[in-house]
Structure formats: structure tokens, C-alpha cells
């Protein structure tokens, strides 16, 4: 079954809010084999709503309309839908009681007359009772299509999808299945990757699709199979994913849909390994990305943001002479920073960065975008210099991914080649 | 002028990513009087693209298409557009050189043939040169409409909108002027703010519009005036902005469109003040947000991410007995962390955080979302405990803003009441 989501409201169109509802709805629909084919954000006007409904009917079986159900005058959804379905609005007594009850519990107590209109529903609709707010949802079945009208407030919408919409949809399509498999790769670009697995991709059966989802420094591969035989879908998709995983070898860091940062936190935690950071140009970003993962405290001991040179000397025991001879942005200094962090925080691994993030601070010898990164592991310290570009935010992000990739590579080498 | 945004890609439709690009684009268009009338997220198929282009032409003058310009075969945008415009693809030599140059700087060096296709552009297009990535943008003017094809990677899209698209669009309507003024407020909610300036807002002339743009812990006020008399627009908008600024007093941290973080970096730098951080639950996020601002090294000395308790003792000289008596998440410990950081990094101010970011680690006495924050200044250390909610990412973000707000308040107090 195909679905379309229509979100109504000027605050999305003028950029004041980001539409996170649609992605959430799509995530709920995927496991029950309902594919969202289009998401349209439209204005709060009768003509925009009518056009959107007409066009959605051409493309989809299920049409979810969110927003535009509030009591204020700029919400025209219900009246427009009534005209569109050639029906009227009726006041639902159960909803009216519920709305009055919510108001009687509020601070002011008295309910403006305008709010009674919240209890008006399409005469041809089945009411989707909204326990957590005043605007009821509505389900209309007409012309062989299924329409769900929901409020735009995220937690009300989520309540109605979970408790009212999904149970209805589950009954509609018990026969097709969707199965997904994921591979997370690091250290190889999208096009190199595509070339390495071209033959596998060309030989894939038609019911499996492969998508490349690149993000700075990593590429996510998503295999999606659709069909009626669930065990066949699963078997074939898993077989293809593991064929690709074997071909790509150590570029694959995870066989599920998680971030590279989460892979590192999990694997280090499993192995009982401890990590520290000593960041200059990345300014705490590496620590922040790792500690954004729940459970990071299992493996992350701590870090230093060593912006001033004195901090490099005082906290990380970088040698003053080395600093003076080679400068703060140098392989010699970043090596000492990593080794100093490993000692200070008493860890198995430490990451250190030093560079010219920009836009100022560059020189002919050390231009903007030059970043030195060191990883100190159990047996050795590896150091590399990168030359990124002019944008400060991107340089910080690239240096972060480069450092995590170096950490991962050293970790893999040392784990496959144990110290003891 | 009316605009429509079409975003191409299955990863939005299946809910794997949220479309933040469209809201950002709408925000850029608003000040130059281009209203986004619809945002459509569609599948990566020729038929979906053709339908979306046809329908957008009915509604809009300017059509922005993002995504679907990568080199792999799941991207069909360029070929579909060529058919749609009844034209072909030509290889652009300047773009080809640029793509080859990017590959020659990468580790592997050799460029797969498939990437040459990145240099293929619509024969009827004006190339929008992409300095920050391999996929060029394209501008097509046909049937009285303006089409902009852009990559979907956010920072590449943003670069092209800012440097290529906006200059073209500004030339389209040169006779009217738009003038913007901004106020950044911190520490006051949107509705309280609106109530405080209600009379000023009601008395504003029709050609000035005021938008409230709230973000965690801060609200940006944007005054936009549109008309033909530039000096009148400027005079009236500036007058209103300064009227509002006077009314709001110290809630206003800047009278230009910059972030709160940038306000802090600038004001501390101007005053020659130095700052350090000691972060536990925020995990380096405060340091990362401050050092994301160019010039932060003027005022930011460094920080410690004190995740493990031992780090709090060893690096920040937190007293072991205090830790044992009150626990890591306590006002007593966070006070010592701030004072320890000020000593260790030899600064005028230090920020410290300690809390239960979640989702695990909570207890009845110290539930998930409890965060203690201390600011040590020139004359005193202030401490406060907050109770946020259950989401780890939001708790880290809220704690960051709360800490910066406390820092700002102490800074204002101490600066208006100097120590010497």
C-alpha cells in the first residue's frame, strides 16, 4: 500500500519549524509494509488543501493529513474537507464533553465558545478519539481511499497514530512485507564503494533495492526488499548484505543501522577499553560526539580541550622545546598530546588533534585547513597530517571523522594482533 | 514571487532523515520576499520527478530541486530533467577539473570513471559552481520559470544557496527593497516576550513585520520591512528595533543576527576576559559550541571533559570527601569543578556541569535530567540545579544553554559592578 503525507501550516513553509512529524510517521509505516511515496507541506488555504487531496489520490491509497485542526480562524481544514467530501460537520457529544473537561481542569476554567468547534467532525468520518488534546482525529473511507486527519502537535499526532491509526492500517494489508538490512562503511567514498560491488549490485534480484546514503566520511548502505514471502525476502537480503560485507572487508564497521560513533562506543565498551581525548582544533567536538551516545561513560574517561599552548604543557605534559621548535600544529606536538592524554586519563587509547580550523590563523607553511591527528594505542602512536579547506565548521567535522577513522583502524589492527 | 521546494530521495520518505534543508531555504527566501508555497518530498524515480516538476510549475515561479545529483545509479534527477527540458547533458570542463582535483587530494587518488558523470550538466543550464563538493548546481530558465537544481548534502546546498542562488534571485526584483533588523534575546520565553512588547507590536506600520524565531533557551526577533523607499524602511525598522530593545533591557544580548555563543566570544574577547570549561554531563558540548566560533581562541583557554570521577579529582582538584558525601551530581562538586577549572586554566571565568543526561543512570534522589551547573567568576561562584526531561540529546543542549545564560548573567553583573 502507498501512502502520502500532507502537512498543513504556514510555519513549515516559512521555515519557522522543521517538519519532524512526517519522518516519524514514515518510520511507523515502514514495518507494516506501507511505503510513503510523497510528503507535501502546503499552505493553510482551501485551494491548496483541495489541490493536495486531489493529487494525493492519484498517487496513494492512504492519505494522512496533519495540522490545521485548531480552533483559530486560520485553520480551514475541516470546512474544506467537508466541502471536498460533499458532506457537513456535526458536533460530536463525546468529544465536546472531553474538550469541556480539559478546560475545566485548566487554570482559567472558562471555555471560549470558539473551542466548542473543536468537537465538530466530518459527518462521514469515524472519530479518532484524542485522549491527550482537544482536537479529535478523523478517519474517512471514500473512493477506495483511506484519509486520516490528525492534529499537527507532535505528541497528539503520535498518540493518534499509535493508538488509532496503526490498528486500522494493520487490518488493511496483511499480505506484503518489507525487509531492510544495513551496512555502515567508513573510509571509502561512495563511488569507489559502488565500483567494488558493481557485479553484486547488477546481479541483485529485482525485489531488492540498494541505496547509498553518504554522510561526511561514511556511507550507509541500505538493502530494501519488498514482497509477499517474508522468509524469502529476509534470506535473500541478508545473503546479499553479507556478500557485500565480505567484499568490503574492514571498511564495514557495523551491520546494523547505527552511527559510527555508536559503533566505537559499543565495541570499546565490549572490550573493556578506555578512551581519552586531547583536542585543540576540534575544540571538544570529538568528546561531544562520543558522549552524545548513551552509555559512553562505559569507555570514555575524559578529555582536555587544549586550546591555549599553556594547557598543552600543564595538563598534557607537552614538551616546551618541542612546542617552540615545531609549533602547536605539528606531528611532534600532537603525538605528545595523545601520549600525555593517555597517561593523564589512564586509558588504553587517546585521540589528539591540532590544526588551523580557520578562517584566520593560516600561514604559508601551515595553511587554514591543515590538521595533525595522533592516536595513541596499546602498542604504538600513529600520526597523520590532513589538508582540509576553508570552512571552519566543515574542517572541525572532517577532522573529527578522520580522527575516529584512525582510532578505528588502530583498534582493529591491535585487536586482531593482540599485545599479550 | 512564489517558490516551491522539491526534495528528492527515499531516505526522507522512509523516515531515515528529517528534511531540514527546506526550512533553511525558506528562511533564506523570506527576507527577499520570496514565499515558499509548497514543499514536496518525492521518490528518486523519473515519473515522480516529472510529476512534481509539472505540478510545481502550476503553483510557483521559482522551483528549487535538491538531492539526487550523486554519481551512483540510484540518482536519476539529471537524466530525467534533460528529458523533461527536451535537452541533453554536456560534460563541463571546469567542473570536471574540479572533481578530478578533489579526487587527486584524497588518499586513494585515482578517480572512478563514474565520477566523471558528476561533471555532466544540463545543456540548457547555467552551472552553479560548487566549491565545497563534487556535484555542481544548475540554473535553468524556461517557460518563464526559474529552476535551481542543488545537491542534497546540507552544507553543499547551503553554500550554493548563499553564493549562487540568492544573488540571482536578488537581481530578479531590484525595485523593491527589504530591510531586516534583529534582536537576540536570552532568558525570556516567546509568550512573555510577546506580552511585554504587545503595544509596540500593535502600533507597528503595515510595512514592517515582526517574526519570533525561538530556539532552545533563546528567541530571535526579526523585523522585516519591505517597500520602495530604502531610507524610510531603514529608519523606521531601526527605530522600532531599538524601542523594543530598550523595553526588553538585559534580555537582549545582541542587536544583530548572530548566535548567543558568538555574542559571548565577542564580548569576552573585547574585555580581554578568559574562559575555561569543566564538563561532565555536557561531555565537551559547551567547549565545542564556543570553539565553533571563529576567533574563540582569543578568550577560550581550554576545558576538561571530566567524565570519570578520577578526572574530577586529578585534573580539577575536586575533593574526594566531597565527591563521596554528595556524589558527582551535586552543587558542592560542580562548584569545586568550576573553581578548579579556573585555577587549572588560569582564567577569569569557568563553567562547570554535572548531571544525569540519561537515558540510564537515574535514581529517585537524582533522576534523569537533573543537572547542576556552576559559574565561577571574578568575585563569586554561582550554582544552580535544573531538572530537565528524559531525552539525552535535548538535556545536553538545554544544559549548554542554561550554562551560557548563567555565565552571561554573572558577566553582566560583574562588569556593571567592577571588581577593582
Amino acid at each position: 500500500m502507498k501512502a502520502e503525507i500532507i502537512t498543513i501550516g504556514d510555519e513549515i513553509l516559512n521555515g519557522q519549524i522543521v517538519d519532524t512529524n512526517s519522518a516519524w510517521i514514515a518510520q511507523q509505516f515502514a514495518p507494516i509494509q506501507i511505503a510513503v511515496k510523497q510528503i507535501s507541506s502546503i499552505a493553510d488555504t482551501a485551494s491548496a488543501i483541495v489541490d493536495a487531496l486531489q493529487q494525493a489520490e492519484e498517487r496513494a491509497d492512504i492519505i494522512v493529513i496533519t495540522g490545521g485542526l485548531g480552533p483559530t480562524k486560520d485553520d480551514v481544514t475541516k470546512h474544506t474537507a467537508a466541502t471536498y467530501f460533499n458532506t457537513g460537520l456535526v458536533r460530536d457529544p463525546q468529544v465536546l464533553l472531553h474538550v469541556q473537561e480539559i478546560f475545566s481542569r485548566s487554570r482559567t476554567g472558562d471555555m471560549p465558545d470558539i473551542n466548542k468547534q473543536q468537537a465538530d467532525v466530518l459527518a462521514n468520518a469515524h472519530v479518532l478519539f484524542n485522549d491527550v488534546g482537544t482536537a479529535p482525529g478523523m478517519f474517512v473511507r471514500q473512493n477506495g481511499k483511506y484519509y486520516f486527519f490528525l492534529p499537527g502537535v507532535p505528541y497528539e499526532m503520535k498518540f493518534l497514530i499509535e493508538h488509532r491509526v496503526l490498528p486500522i492500517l494493520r487490518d488493511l494489508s496483511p499480505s506484503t512485507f518489507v525487509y531492510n538490512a544495513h551496512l555502515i562503511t567508513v573510509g571509502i567514498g561512495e563511488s569507489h564503494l559502488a565500483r567494488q560491488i558493481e557485479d553484486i549490485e547488477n546481479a541483485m534480484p529485482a525485489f531488492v533495492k540498494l541505496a547509498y546514503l553518504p554522510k561526511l566520511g561514511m556511507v550507509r548502505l541500505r538493502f530494501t526488499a519488498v514482497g509477499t514471502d517474508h522468509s524469502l525476502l529476509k534470506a535473500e537480503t541478508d545473503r546479499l548484505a553479507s556478500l557485500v560485507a565480505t567484499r568490503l572487508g574492514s571498511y564495514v564497521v557495523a551491520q546494523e543501522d547505527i552511527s559510527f560513533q555508536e559503533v566505537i562506543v559499543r565495541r570499546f565498551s565490549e572490550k573493556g577499553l578506555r578512551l581519552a581525548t586531547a583536542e585543540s582544533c576540534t575544540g571538544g567536538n570529538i568528546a561531544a560526539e562520543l558522549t552524545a551516545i548513551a552509555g559512553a561513560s562505559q569507555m570514555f574517561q575524559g578529555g582536555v580541550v587544549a586550546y591555549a599552548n599553556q594547557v598543552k604543557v600543564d595538563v598534557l605534559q607537552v614538551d616546551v622545546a618541542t612546542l617552540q621548535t615545531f609549533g602547536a600544529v605539528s606531528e611532534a606536538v600532537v603525538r605528545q598530546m595523545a601520549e600525555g592524554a593517555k597517561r593523564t586519563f589512564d586509558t588504553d587509547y587517546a585521540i589528539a588533534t591540532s590544526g588551523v580550523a580557520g578562517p584566520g590563523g593560516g600561514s604559508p607553511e601551515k595553511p587554514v585547513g591543515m590538521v595533525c591527528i595522533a592516536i595513541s594505542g596499546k602498542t604504538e602512536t600513529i600520526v597523520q597530517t590532513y589538508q582540509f579547506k576553508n570552512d571552519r565548521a566543515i574542517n572541525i567535522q572532517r577532522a573529527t571523522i578522520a580522527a575516529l577513522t584512525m582510532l578505528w583502524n588502530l583498534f582493529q589492527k591491535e585487536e586482531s594482533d593482540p599485545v599479550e
Side-chain angles (χ1 to χ4, degrees), chain A:
Chain A
M1 301 260 278
K2 296 173 186 171
E4 179 147 343
I5 301 170
I6 299 171
T7 65
I8 300 175
D10 287 340
E11 63 278 18
I12 292 172
L13 295 179
N14 65 24
Q16 267 186 294
I17 63 167
V18 168
D19 169 28
T20 54
N21 281 354
S22 297
W24 187 87
I25 294 172
Q27 284 173 9
Q28 312 311 305
F29 281 9
I32 56 166
Q33 298 40 285
I34 295 171
V36 174
K37 290 295 175 185
Q38 178 151 345
I39 301 165
S40 301
S41 299
I42 64 168
D44 202 351
T45 65
S47 67
I49 294 169
V50 168
D51 284 356
L53 286 172
Q54 274 168 350
Q55 289 167 7
E57 281 175 12
E58 304 283 315
R59 291 181 289 249
D61 312 299
I62 296 161
I63 298 157
V64 177
I65 304 101
T66 68
L69 295 182
T72 54
K73 63 182 171 190
D74 56 336
D75 286 328
V76 297
T77 309
K78 274 197 293 204
H79 287 99
T80 305
T83 309
Y84 185 77
F85 291 127
N86 201 15
T87 186
L89 293 176
V90 292
R91 192 151 295 178
D92 186 286
Q94 201 196 348
V95 174
L96 184 61
L97 260 175
H98 173 67
V99 173
Q100 282 167 332
E101 198 182 290
I102 287 183
F103 270 90
S104 71
R105 278 199 312 257
S106 76
R107 262 177 310 168
T108 51
D110 58 323
M111 183 170 98
D113 257 10
I114 197 174
N115 284 84
K116 287 190 184 155
Q117 293 171 20
Q118 300 243 264
D120 294 348
V121 296
L122 294 166
N124 65 341
H126 170 72
V127 173
L128 307 174
F129 197 78
N130 180 358
D131 293 14
V132 299
T134 52
M138 291 172 288
F139 168 43
V140 174
R141 190 168 176 165
Q142 194 156 316
N143 316 326
K145 307 286 177 182
Y146 304 90
Y147 305 82
F148 295 91
F149 291 85
L150 306 175
V153 179
Y155 73 87
E156 297 185 26
M157 179 280 295
K158 288 179 182 176
F159 175 87
L160 287 170
I161 289 277
E162 279 173 356
H163 296 91
R164 306 282 179 257
V165 178
L166 290 181
I168 294 171
L169 292 179
R170 280 199 197 98
D171 285 345
L172 294 179
S173 62
S175 58
T176 37
F177 298 96
V178 180
Y179 184 80
N180 283 302
H182 296 89
L183 296 178
I184 313 295
T185 69
V186 164
I188 179 168
E190 182 182 357
S191 51
H192 276 94
L193 211 159
R195 204 167 46 175
Q196 285 214 20
I197 60 172
E198 199 175 5
D199 56 322
I200 304 177
E201 195 175 352
N202 287 337
M204 286 193 333
F207 63 88
V208 184
K209 278 183 78 175
L210 174 58
Y212 295 78
L213 308 167
K215 226 179 116 179
L216 280 176
M218 51 189 288
V219 178
R220 216 150 37 99
L221 296 180
R222 187 188 63 224
F223 301 79
T224 305
V226 180
T228 51
D229 182 345
H230 187 266
S231 60
L232 171 75
L233 298 183
K234 179 174 179 343
E236 184 61 12
T237 309
D238 287 348
R239 186 186 69 81
L240 287 164
S242 82
L243 207 61
V244 168
T246 307
R247 175 77 58 84
L248 295 175
S250 66
Y251 290 125
V252 175
V253 300
Q255 303 207 20
E256 58 186 309
D257 191 17
I258 61 176
S259 70
F260 185 31
Q261 289 78 359
E262 189 163 354
V263 172
I264 290 172
V265 167
R266 282 206 210 163
R267 293 296 306 277
F268 272 62
S269 299
E270 283 161 17
K271 297 269 180 185
L273 295 170
R274 289 149 44 114
L275 176 70
T277 51
E279 305 182 61
S280 185
C281 67
T282 50
N285 193 58
I286 297 174
E289 288 198 359
L290 291 171
T291 58
I293 309 296
S297 57
Q298 286 274 323
M299 50 73 77
F300 188 70
Q301 290 302 107
V304 174
V305 183
Y307 237 48
N309 280 344
Q310 198 57 44
V311 176
K312 298 182 178 79
V313 175
D314 291 348
V315 184
L316 297 169
Q317 301 108 40
V318 170
D319 183 39
V320 176
T322 310
L323 256 175
Q324 281 166 351
T325 311
F326 299 100
V329 180
S330 63
E331 298 200 348
V333 165
V334 85
R335 172 184 292 273
Q336 291 189 10
M337 285 170 65
E339 291 170 352
K342 217 175 68 172
R343 272 196 308 276
T344 300
F345 294 100
D346 186 23
T347 58
D348 307 290
Y349 287 85
I351 298 171
T353 64
S354 185
V356 188
S363 68
E365 304 79 44
K366 297 184 179 180
V368 168
M370 177 175 161
V371 177
C372 300
I373 301 176
I375 311 291
S376 187
K378 290 172 167 179
T379 56
E380 61 177 316
T381 300
I382 57 173
V383 188
Q384 198 164 333
T385 300
Y386 296 83
Q387 183 58 53
F388 303 123
K389 293 205 160 177
N390 292 319
D391 185 283
R392 183 178 182 89
I394 296 172
N395 289 341
I396 291 172
Q397 198 49 51
R398 285 203 185 276
T400 299
I401 291 290
L404 294 177
T405 305
M406 283 174 66
L407 172 71
W408 181 256
N409 291 340
L410 184 59
F411 161 77
Q412 286 213 310
K413 182 180 164 203
E414 294 194 334
E415 285 304 305
S416 68
D417 181 18
V419 185
E420 288 82 16

